[in-house]
Amino acid sequence: MTVSDQQMANAIRALAMDAVQAANSGHPGMPMGMADVATVLYSKFLKFDPKAPDWADRDRFVLSAGHGSMFAYATLYLTGYASPTIDDIRNFRQLGSPCAGHPENFLIDGIECTTGPLGQGLAMAVGMAIAERHLNARFGDELVDHRTWVVAGDGCLMEGINHEAVGLAGHLGLGRLIVFWDDNRITIDGATDLSTSEDIAARYVASGWHVESCDGHDFNDIERAIQTSLQDQRPSLIACRTLIGKGSPNKQGTKAPHGSPLGADEIIATRAALDWPYPAFEIPEDILGAWRATGEAGALKHAAWRSRLAAAPTAAEFKTAMAGTPSGAWLQPHLDGLIAAPQKIATRKASEIALTAATAALPELLGGSADLTGSNFTRTASTNTLDKNDYSGRYVNYGIREFGMAAAMNGMALHGGIIPYGGTFLIFSDYCRAAIRLSALQETRVIYVMTHDSIGVGEDGPTHQPIEQVMSLRLIPNLHVYRPCDSIETAECWALAIESASTPSVLALSRQNLPQLRTDISENFSAKGAYKLRAADAPRKVILIATGSEVEIANAVADKLEQQGIGADVVSMPSWERFDAQAAAYKSELLPNDTLRVSIEAGTTMGWERYVGEGLRIGIDSFGASGPIDALYDYFGLTADKITPQIVARLGQ
Ligand SMILES: Cc1ncc(C[n+]2csc(CCOP(=O)(O)OP(=O)(O)O)c2C)c(N)n1
Ligand SMILES: [Mg+2]
């Protein structure tokens, strides 16, 4: 007997309701509602090879409605990926199971990105679609020719980031991006008309999208909507009218199945309604066989692609790009040039000249800025504009969309073949913090170029002066926060950010000019996170620890102390995270407990206890103020004249 689409879809429904019931936690409604769409997508359209989840030219599938994670686990299992296994699904949401509450890219190969924070999945998919077009422009249809598919819920479309992502995708004409909207008109609190009256289709059309709608429970209609979308040059939104929890006779279409198990009785009723008499976690062989067969077409395409790659003149270049192991050879000649002609420049300017060298050497670097190109200095001679007329460009004008930019960069990094970097003011890191957090969690190599990193911004005033941002970014695990003090450290930090394949980086860069303090380039000292930039002359009584623009001030303080016969080391600490990772002996030698330690950073002092203990913490614990830079540094006490007496007084106690 041939297996029907309905039976295939019901296999997803059964796995979803049974796994959530077993865990006594989870979201059965979304996978049950979208099971029919999943069946059409996987059996007729998605290009995938379950045996090769990392095949570079696979279609990307993003479950933006990450709470419906059983949708992803069920489809991956049914189509025959090695992970998850049926036992993993039995252990849904249990500690150690790759079938975590929300899909996590680092737990399962077939999961393209980590989703759950609503809206970000779709926004990452925009980045994946940019990456696909860019690499297609670079390597041609032979090697890069795939689509990006998304399942998003009402929540994903309601979030603010959706406006940024949709605006960007429409502007860039990303026609290979197809979003299924699970138009079930239900969210947690109840019907969507409790909170929205928006004409979503009209908004998408106005943003340059093609919009289609279908009955999400009619296989033919779903197929028709997809076919129509494939013909359109614009990105597509397919509004799939569905019932949340479809199949559950007493709960479908209500808020009940959104985030709770159906319950034992309702599961019995649902089995009867679906004509699914099989025990929990048992998929009849013929139905499983039909699902496994959906991967066969992709496997053939994969084999053909491999032959094309083998014959392609650009094969080596393609493999290099996808491997993500960029050469660091650009750094040394760049440093040699800086030493030969020291410059007093802002670290944002130092970043530009480092980037000029790096982007010339590394075609994987793809930059952009959230409308602050002329301030972030993120564009170089090697990075032409990427737009819908020319995807070969390497510079995206993201517009004033910090969150959208950050999420898109996550998508590009996850896609592979690209090392994305993007600029904004450090103060607006808060606008994209949720995506920075996902960079760190997902282990993506995204480089955030965040300039105007302190009160050094000057006249723009407290709205534009970061106080707590540097410190708060240091709180995020697996994020490297760099605050380099001069052009040498800036280049070193860029090199570290580029080579850190599974850690995102923030480069906090000054607006104001800073002297080149480093003379020794025998080693990338920034890699240690902190190092002795200058050793005490007189017997050492104090260790000054500073970052970024305040290293210059620490140097001036050391001069004054030495004049009084007080020896002072100056430690530059461009990265806490890297310093923390050093051996205990290195750390205790650089910052011994028995010496007065003083931190100097133009930002919140909370946290510096970690390195100075009971010592002095010089910083700013209020908002900034509007005024010329020198007046501000004086007003906030960040001058050698104001810091030195405090140290002398402390030593005299
Ligand atoms: C940014 C964010 N805010 C809130 C939540 C909590 N949350 C999870 S699902 C959900 C409702 C989503 O509704 P919808 O997308 O329509 O999903 P459905 O109920 O249809 O499955 C909410 C508020 C979240 N995961 N992410
Ligand atoms: Mg909904």
Side-chain angles (χ1 to χ4, degrees):
M1 209 179 76
T2 55
V3 173
S4 68
D5 288 344
Q6 194 61 64
Q7 286 172 301
M8 290 175 71
N10 288 346
I12 297 177
R13 295 191 166 97
L15 287 173
M17 71 177 181
D18 290 330
V20 173
Q21 186 69 24
N24 196 23
S25 149
H27 303 76
M30 185 260 137
M32 294 179 78
M34 287 296 278
D36 301 323
V37 172
T39 302
V40 177
L41 175 64
Y42 275 83
S43 59
K44 298 219 159 77
F45 295 98
L46 193 74
K47 182 168 79 167
F48 67 103
D49 178 358
K51 301 277 176 295
D54 59 350
W55 169 26
D57 198 33
R58 69 192 182 276
D59 282 358
R60 304 302 194 267
F61 173 78
V62 172
L63 185 69
S64 191
H67 57 280
S69 55
M70 271 308 304
F71 176 111
Y73 305 143
T75 48
L76 290 175
Y77 164 69
L78 290 167
T79 52
Y81 284 77
S83 173
T85 64
I86 194 69
D87 283 338
D88 295 332
I89 291 178
R90 284 178 198 271
N91 286 322
F92 176 55
R93 287 188 162 233
Q94 304 312 304
L95 200 56
S97 172
C99 295
H102 292 84
E104 295 175 19
N105 64 308
F106 46 92
L107 293 180
I108 295 181
D109 285 340
I111 301 284
E112 301 287 358
C113 60
T114 296
T115 52
L118 295 175
Q120 285 202 62
L122 197 162
M124 287 190 272
V126 171
M128 293 179 190
I130 296 172
E132 191 274 342
R133 281 297 85 189
H134 174 71
L135 294 170
N136 171 273
R138 200 174 152 200
F139 295 106
D141 288 347
E142 296 266 279
L143 300 186
V144 183
D145 182 16
H146 54 268
R147 298 183 187 281
T148 305
W149 306 84
V150 179
V151 166
D154 300 299
C156 292
L157 272 54
M158 213 182 279
E159 288 287 352
I161 192 175
N162 188 257
H163 295 251
E164 298 185 22
V166 165
L168 186 61
H171 176 72
L172 293 177
L174 301 174
R176 291 169 159 261
L177 174 65
I178 300 186
V179 177
F180 298 102
W181 165 26
D182 180 13
D183 179 15
N184 61 19
R185 302 184 194 179
I186 289 286
T187 66
I188 293 179
D189 279 359
T192 47
D193 63 14
L194 286 169
S195 57
T196 182
S197 313
E198 180 177 303
D199 183 342
I200 289 171
R203 170 163 69 87
Y204 273 69
V205 169
S207 303
W209 284 57
H210 162 241
V211 177
E212 198 62 44
S213 53
C214 70
D215 176 343
H217 302 306
D218 177 332
F219 297 99
N220 292 327
D221 201 35
I222 297 165
E223 186 174 345
R224 175 202 55 76
I226 297 175
Q227 287 291 9
T228 316
S229 298
L230 292 178
Q231 305 311 318
D232 204 283
Q233 301 299 306
R234 297 166 292 176
S236 289
L237 177 76
I238 305 178
C240 307
R241 193 70 185 90
T242 62
L243 286 173
I244 189 169
K246 167 84 161 127
S248 156
N250 302 302
K251 296 194 168 175
Q252 66 181 19
T254 74
K255 68 180 184 180
H258 162 88
S260 309
L262 295 183
D265 291 346
E266 186 63 11
I267 282 185
I268 291 170
T270 306
R271 281 200 144 69
L274 294 177
D275 191 18
W276 190 268
Y278 319 109
F281 305 110
E282 281 183 29
I283 309 295
E285 244 171 64
D286 55 343
I287 298 177
L288 189 59
W291 266 110
R292 296 279 149 103
T294 62
E296 287 168 9
L300 292 175
K301 286 182 183 160
H302 181 203
W305 178 85
R306 282 219 305 264
S307 313
R308 291 201 298 278
L309 178 64
T314 53
E317 213 185 308
F318 181 79
K319 285 180 192 163
T320 301
M322 296 309 293
T325 48
S327 160
W330 62 273
L331 179 64
Q332 194 58 47
H334 174 66
L335 293 178
D336 291 342
L338 293 173
I339 290 292
Q343 303 183 61
K344 182 170 183 175
I345 50 176
T347 50
R348 62 178 169 140
K349 189 72 187 169
S351 167
E352 180 187 53
I353 56 176
L355 257 181
T356 299
T359 53
L362 304 171
E364 293 90 319
L365 282 169
L366 196 154
S369 168
D371 200 45
L372 288 168
T373 298
S375 299
N376 302 144
F377 294 146
T378 31
R379 189 168 180 150
T380 73
S382 306
T383 57
N384 293 331
T385 301
L386 182 159
D387 62 20
K388 69 174 166 188
N389 301 313
D390 183 5
Y391 291 115
S392 75
R394 291 167 58 194
Y395 197 82
V396 179
N397 289 106
Y398 286 104
I400 308 96
R401 301 185 181 103
E402 295 84 6
F403 195 6
M405 171 177 76
M409 291 199 293
N410 276 332
M412 290 182 209
L414 288 161
H415 180 282
I418 286 175
I419 300 174
Y421 69 89
T424 184
F425 288 154
L426 180 61
I427 194 72
F428 303 129
S429 61
D430 290 336
Y431 271 53
C432 51
R433 188 178 174 91
I436 299 175
R437 184 172 195 273
L438 270 194
S439 305
L441 178 60
Q442 296 185 101
E443 303 176 355
T444 58
R445 174 169 33 193
V446 172
I447 304 172
Y448 295 94
V449 182
M450 302 209 146
T451 68
H452 297 59
D453 70 345
S454 74
I455 55 163
V457 167
E459 293 83 351
D460 273 344
T463 58
H464 283 54
Q465 292 165 349
I467 297 293
E468 75 281 20
Q469 279 67 27
V470 169
M471 195 60 80
S472 77
L473 288 165
R474 289 178 181 136
L475 293 173
I476 300 178
N478 191 41
L479 176 68
H480 286 163
V481 181
Y482 295 105
R483 193 160 181 261
C485 72
D486 72 354
S487 52
I488 301 279
E489 277 193 6
T490 303
E492 288 177 338
C493 293
W494 259 111
L496 296 169
I498 291 170
E499 76 184 31
S500 297
S502 51
T503 304
S505 300
V506 171
L507 300 173
L509 303 171
S510 76
R511 173 176 186 267
Q512 71 270 36
N513 288 341
L514 300 171
Q516 191 169 304
L517 297 171
R518 268 278 290 287
T519 48
D520 178 1
I521 55 164
S522 62
E523 195 183 328
N524 184 336
F525 290 107
S526 299
K528 291 185 149 63
Y531 63 96
K532 197 180 294 184
L533 180 69
R534 156 178 175 168
D537 203 7
R540 185 179 71 187
K541 294 276 172 46
V542 55
I543 300 169
L544 304 167
I545 312 163
T547 75
S549 42
E550 286 69 67
V551 177
E552 177 189 13
I553 297 170
N555 237 350
V557 171
D559 286 343
K560 286 189 180 295
L561 291 171
E562 295 278 356
Q563 281 161 17
Q564 302 178 43
I566 301 169
D569 281 356
V570 175
V571 168
S572 177
M573 190 182 262
S575 163
W576 278 30
E577 300 79 17
R578 286 197 171 261
F579 180 64
D580 289 350
Q582 300 307 307
Y586 177 78
K587 292 193 276 191
S588 59
E589 205 205 307
L590 190 69
L591 302 178
N593 285 334
D594 57 3
T595 307
L596 175 65
R597 285 151 292 150
V598 178
S599 64
I600 311 176
E601 184 173 68
T604 189
T605 61
M606 185 202 277
W608 276 108
E609 305 86 333
R610 186 183 185 95
Y611 304 112
V612 306
E614 296 294 308
L616 287 171
R617 289 175 283 137
I618 310 291
I620 306 172
D621 290 309
S622 64
F623 289 118
S626 176
I629 175 172
D630 290 344
L632 288 174
Y633 267 83
D634 184 60
Y635 178 77
F636 286 105
L638 287 164
T639 62
D641 282 344
K642 292 201 166 157
I643 296 168
T644 309
Q646 295 178 60
I647 297 172
V648 173
R650 176 59 89 84
L651 285 170
Q653 276 167 13

